[in-house]
Amino acid sequence: MVIATFVLSLAANIALSSGTMDWRIIPACLIGWYLADAASGIVHMYMDYRHCPPGRGLDKLFFYSGSRISEEYLELRRSVLKHVGTFDRLVFDFKNHHPRPDALGRRGIVDLIWSSIAFVALPLSILLNVAALMWEIPLWFTAAALMLLIGGALAQYFHSSLHRADVPLTIKAMRAVGLLMTPSAHAFHHATLRRDFATNSGWSNRLLNPIFSFLHRQGILVDAGLEPT
Ligand SMILES: [Zn+2]
Ligand SMILES: [Zn+2]
């Protein structure tokens, strides 16, 4: 229902825009796609380094050494996550992804995108609907906003596709023309956890890498945040 409402809201934004298709649509789309990539990087950087709530047993899940399909692990997971809120669970998922990247690749698309849509992309799209009802919004602006919203909504799906071999033809084609980054480019992030946080196109990593270095040097982002305690 959340995804269907999002699609309807996006369509309404196009219908409510004023003006016609012209050359400005293309640079606007590219700017929107860049901003979506930057958003994926900023969120990823924050979630990787934000501390998980301590003493809730998330460390037991993170460092569990046995089989992750065993009844013992699944029971532990159920009992630990019962006491962890939705946001902290997402923070944990980002950290848990580093030692077990393939697990992200196995997750389904709805599971991957619903939270980005429900908490961020859909509210922003509805705000744009309201703005378009009140003021004249030019089509080029809507195009940029839609690229940002769609790129943001699908960010975790794009990230997950970097960790699986069988990806749809659309993903392969978008990688071929540079609209999405490649698994080998994303491997730089996993090798150090200190660079290349953006996971859509990777266009913004050149901007975000020095920002990360600065925040890390200042002690605002600390390595202790990378693993739950
Ligand atoms: Zn990461
Ligand atoms: Zn990854």
Side-chain angles (χ1 to χ4, degrees):
M1 207 171 78
V2 164
I3 295 171
T5 313
F6 181 54
V7 173
L8 282 176
S9 171
L10 292 179
N13 276 319
I14 297 172
L16 292 167
S17 299
S18 58
T20 50
M21 295 278 276
D22 61 41
W23 66 271
R24 287 174 298 182
I25 301 278
I26 294 169
C29 283
L30 293 173
I31 290 169
W33 201 241
Y34 180 95
L35 293 175
D37 183 62
S40 83
I42 292 165
V43 170
H44 185 173
M45 194 188 294
Y46 177 73
M47 302 295 251
D48 274 6
Y49 282 82
R50 183 191 155 95
H51 291 273
C52 278
R56 309 262 179 97
L58 285 167
D59 53 329
K60 289 197 190 96
L61 282 185
F62 188 86
F63 295 109
Y64 188 82
S65 56
S67 161
R68 284 175 184 260
I69 51 168
S70 67
E71 202 40 57
E72 184 194 47
Y73 174 77
L74 295 174
E75 182 49 41
L76 177 69
R77 189 179 155 84
R78 267 191 296 271
S79 68
V80 168
L81 293 184
K82 211 161 52 187
H83 305 289
V84 177
T86 308
F87 186 72
D88 284 324
R89 200 185 283 203
L90 292 172
V91 171
F92 174 75
D93 281 346
F94 270 86
K95 300 179 201 314
N96 199 35
H97 155 66
H98 294 142
R100 287 167 283 278
D102 292 350
L104 181 70
R106 286 193 293 270
R107 283 170 64 182
I109 184 167
V110 174
D111 183 34
L112 287 161
I113 66 174
W114 80 269
S115 57
S116 315
I117 295 180
F119 299 122
V120 187
L122 178 58
L124 288 177
S125 182
I126 290 172
L127 267 183
L128 190 60
N129 291 148
V130 175
L133 285 169
M134 293 167 68
W135 301 291
E136 279 208 352
I137 306 277
L139 196 57
W140 63 264
F141 182 87
T142 304
L146 257 54
M147 286 300 114
L148 169 58
L149 292 173
I150 293 168
L154 295 178
Q156 271 303 73
Y157 170 68
F158 292 146
H159 184 183
S160 126
S161 71
L162 290 164
H163 294 294
R164 59 185 302 160
D166 57 326
V167 293
L169 215 58
T170 327
I171 300 283
K172 285 184 189 157
M174 288 174 79
R175 279 180 193 167
V177 295
L179 288 171
L180 288 179
M181 74 192 303
T182 61
S184 57
H186 180 52
F188 287 116
H189 173 69
H190 283 268
T192 64
L193 306 184
R194 290 186 177 187
R195 55 174 289 191
D196 295 3
F197 292 88
T199 50
N200 280 22
S201 60
W203 296 347
S204 67
N205 278 325
R206 251 182 225 193
L207 172 78
L208 296 182
N209 285 345
I211 293 176
F212 170 81
S213 299
F214 174 76
L215 295 173
H216 194 256
R217 265 200 315 276
Q218 296 296 312
I220 296 165
L221 300 174
V222 292
D223 291 349
L226 282 169
E227 291 177 344
T229 51

